[in-house]
Amino acid sequence: MQTPRLTRILVGIIVFLSLLWGCSDSSDFSERSATALNAVTVTGPITAGGEPATSSPLDLTAAGYIEEEFFYEGDAWSYRFLQEPAGDGRWDVAQNDTAAFKTRLLVRRPVSAEAFSGVVFVEWLNVTGAFDLDGDWLQAAPLLLREGHAWVGVSVQSTGVNGGQSVLEEIGSGEGLVGSNPERYGTLFHPGDEYAFDMFSQAADALTAGAGPAPLGSLQPSELIAFGPSQSAAFLTTYVNAVHSQAQRYDGIILHSRPGLAAPLDGDVAEDSLAVIQVRTDLTEPVFIIQAENDLTALNYLPARQPDSDTVKLWEIAGVAHADTWVLAEITGAPVTPQEGAAILGCDRPINDGSHREIFRAGVDHMVRWVREGEPPPAAPGLEIASSSPPEVARDDSGIALGGLRHPDVEVPVAALSGEAGNEGITCFLFGSTRPFEVFELAARYASTADYHAQYRAAAEVAVEAGYLLPEEAEALVTRAEARDLGF
């Protein structure tokens, strides 16, 4: 039986499939006020009305962190294309008009300045389920906490603030911050998603030069890195291509599980979907694209795939899905087997039991070094493709994807982990599948349980050496694998 929290967060995951959009290019910002940095007003920390929405369930105090919420407000620009948006992402836009806004920043930061790395990750909170979801915090939190990085979630889209209809009719609508807790959020107002891009720029202003209290307290940030998954990555793709080159607010951007298309400048994803869009390669700041296997297929990223350049890098991870059993376990607070996940979601096949969070954390760590030291992440092999129309990943005889980054669970498997699912519907399509190996399949791969353990440790060591896993995540994976008995 689904709890209300489970239902809400599942909604935020499954709606991503519908976000196959397109976007546009760079811009002339000559009209932007020279005092824009000083035009943002910050209030807070906010204490009325109970806990913040999207409050982290982690024990941040034990990690030496504090969670606080602030409001920021000002006037935001919308933008318009100066020419037809090209598929290479090199877009020309101009400022269109302005509107007043007031929204929120949710801050998780070290209490001590000595523990602060100087890096702030700013997440475009995802609203495809008609509420704010901190998907990249969920994946990256252990790394951020142990490295002393700060995290800021921004309610930058109208649905998260004002409420509204989900992009899928069957999902329904949400109340947004204002409707769900008017005592706390009743003064917020969002003029519409055409203003979201400049509001995201001004979130950086609020963190570094806004009038009023400092959301980061006494901490002095040295780098701001933007990220966000799925729908948020679609909007961030537009931000990169159309706004970032002139706004220059962020030192790097991670596009996590992005669809092949990008959000329109007017923010109306239902009406103004555009063509397949790549990320422009003429920027100074780096852009890192990190994709699960079925992002190429379920989210139609394959047509937008692009080769590495000096400023754009791509990782594609074999065997993992857009969402998986780990996500359900985080939501329900208890372990979830692939079979239990299938029952919860109504899928015919056991859902994917893999995870790309460990590789994602390595990518986040590489982005910090790329921004700070100019050292890009290591190049990675792409997934092998069996068909481009419809997009289909090539597989071995066991059903495991060929090519791509290889998680130890995929390289030394006890099951065929796949981004591919049956035809049960959108939810199951995003959660992929797991086919546990029969004993004879395991015996064909491993001489004994001890042999499996040795191969797994070796695969983890290779991944660490290649830069695709961090030692902390690798050791945790090996410990888990060594607790597994194959029965022979």
Side-chain angles (χ1 to χ4, degrees):
M1 184 179 206
Q2 293 184 14
T3 66
R5 174 174 168 78
L6 173 58
T7 301
R8 280 166 52 82
I9 297 186
L10 288 181
V11 165
I13 296 167
I14 66 175
V15 178
F16 297 160
L17 183 61
S18 70
L19 303 173
L20 304 177
W21 325 312
C23 262
S24 43
D25 235 301
S26 159
S27 74
D28 176 8
F29 288 77
S30 59
E31 298 177 15
R32 187 175 182 88
S33 168
T35 61
L37 287 174
N38 298 320
V40 181
T41 300
V42 177
T43 54
I46 307 304
T47 58
E51 294 295 317
T54 331
S55 183
S56 175
L58 297 178
D59 186 352
L60 296 178
T61 301
Y65 272 62
I66 187 172
E67 178 179 80
E68 293 181 315
E69 188 173 55
F70 294 82
F71 296 160
Y72 75 104
E73 60 188 300
D75 295 306
W77 286 102
S78 64
Y79 303 103
R80 57 183 173 82
F81 291 117
L82 293 176
Q83 59 192 37
E84 190 69 21
D88 65 3
R90 298 189 180 199
W91 298 335
D92 292 320
V93 306
Q95 294 167 330
N96 191 36
D97 61 11
T98 62
F101 73 90
K102 183 178 181 180
T103 190
R104 65 139 178 184
L105 304 166
L106 185 59
V107 179
R108 297 165 189 158
R109 63 171 179 85
V111 175
S112 166
E114 290 73 23
F116 179 44
S117 69
V119 178
V120 182
F121 282 87
V122 183
E123 180 165 355
W124 186 303
L125 293 176
N126 192 287
V127 300
T128 48
F131 63 94
D132 283 342
L133 180 66
D134 53 350
D136 273 354
W137 164 264
L138 185 70
Q139 299 271 0
L143 170 71
L144 303 185
L145 294 176
R146 72 175 180 249
E147 294 296 323
H149 304 324
W151 174 93
V152 178
V154 187
S155 295
V156 73
Q157 286 184 247
S158 176
T159 300
V161 177
N162 300 331
Q165 180 71 35
S166 167
V167 293
L168 289 185
E169 290 185 2
E170 60 265 40
I171 299 303
S173 60
E175 294 181 307
L177 295 171
V178 174
S180 63
N181 190 345
E183 179 185 357
R184 189 178 187 93
Y185 299 116
T187 65
L188 300 186
F189 51 92
H190 194 301
D193 282 351
E194 63 266 42
Y195 302 96
F197 304 103
D198 194 40
M199 288 170 62
F200 194 66
S201 294
Q202 293 193 50
D205 299 346
L207 293 173
T208 58
L216 295 172
S218 64
L219 305 185
Q220 298 299 313
S222 53
E223 292 88 16
L224 300 183
I225 298 174
F227 65 178
S230 202
Q231 180 195 176
S232 297
F235 271 82
L236 282 172
T237 299
T238 303
Y239 185 83
V240 169
N241 288 346
V243 178
H244 171 72
S245 62
Q246 296 297 327
Q248 296 289 300
R249 298 302 201 276
Y250 295 95
D251 299 289
I253 298 171
I254 298 174
L255 304 177
H256 180 201
S257 285
R258 65 158 291 213
L261 300 156
L265 277 179
D266 67 3
D268 190 349
V269 299
E271 299 295 332
D272 296 325
S273 298
L274 300 175
V276 171
I277 299 299
Q278 294 184 332
V279 172
R280 63 188 306 159
T281 59
D282 60 343
L283 299 174
T284 302
E285 291 74 27
V287 179
F288 194 4
I289 306 168
I290 303 177
Q291 301 289 84
E293 178 190 308
N294 64 353
D295 294 330
L296 277 72
T297 54
L299 293 186
N300 201 38
Y301 175 72
L302 182 60
R305 195 190 212 185
Q306 63 190 101
D308 283 354
S309 70
D310 289 343
T311 57
V312 179
K313 305 295 182 184
L314 170 64
W315 280 5
E316 297 173 352
I317 310 171
V320 300
H322 197 77
D324 48 51
T325 55
W326 178 81
V327 171
L328 293 186
E330 288 295 298
I331 295 165
T332 60
V336 176
T337 68
Q339 293 78 10
E340 290 167 344
I344 291 170
L345 299 172
C347 303
D348 292 341
R349 301 186 192 182
I351 66 171
N352 194 292
D353 198 30
S355 167
H356 66 276
R357 65 190 181 277
E358 296 91 1
I359 293 177
F360 178 67
R361 289 172 199 161
V364 169
D365 193 61
H366 279 296
M367 176 56 97
V368 173
R369 287 203 294 273
W370 197 3
V371 165
R372 286 192 149 176
E373 303 167 18
E375 178 185 348
L383 287 161
E384 295 185 21
I385 303 303
S387 168
S388 58
S389 183
E392 184 179 339
V393 174
R395 303 186 182 282
D396 65 16
D397 292 342
S398 297
I400 298 174
L402 298 172
L405 289 187
R406 315 292 290 184
H407 192 288
D409 286 353
V410 173
E411 189 66 8
V412 186
V414 294
L417 300 173
S418 174
E420 188 177 75
N423 297 315
E424 303 96 337
I426 291 172
T427 309
C428 304
F429 201 28
L430 289 183
F431 274 80
S433 62
T434 298
R435 183 183 67 79
F437 287 157
E438 303 287 348
V439 172
F440 75 88
E441 293 178 283
L442 292 171
R445 289 176 177 269
Y446 313 112
S448 64
T449 294
D451 179 41
Y452 161 69
H453 293 165
Q455 288 193 41
Y456 195 99
R457 178 172 284 279
E461 290 172 352
V462 167
V464 170
E465 181 67 24
Y468 305 143
L469 277 182
L470 297 172
E472 294 87 347
E473 273 69 44
E475 194 57 40
L477 288 169
V478 168
T479 298
R480 187 192 65 182
E482 290 181 343
R484 181 178 290 123
D485 188 343
L486 300 186
F488 60 89

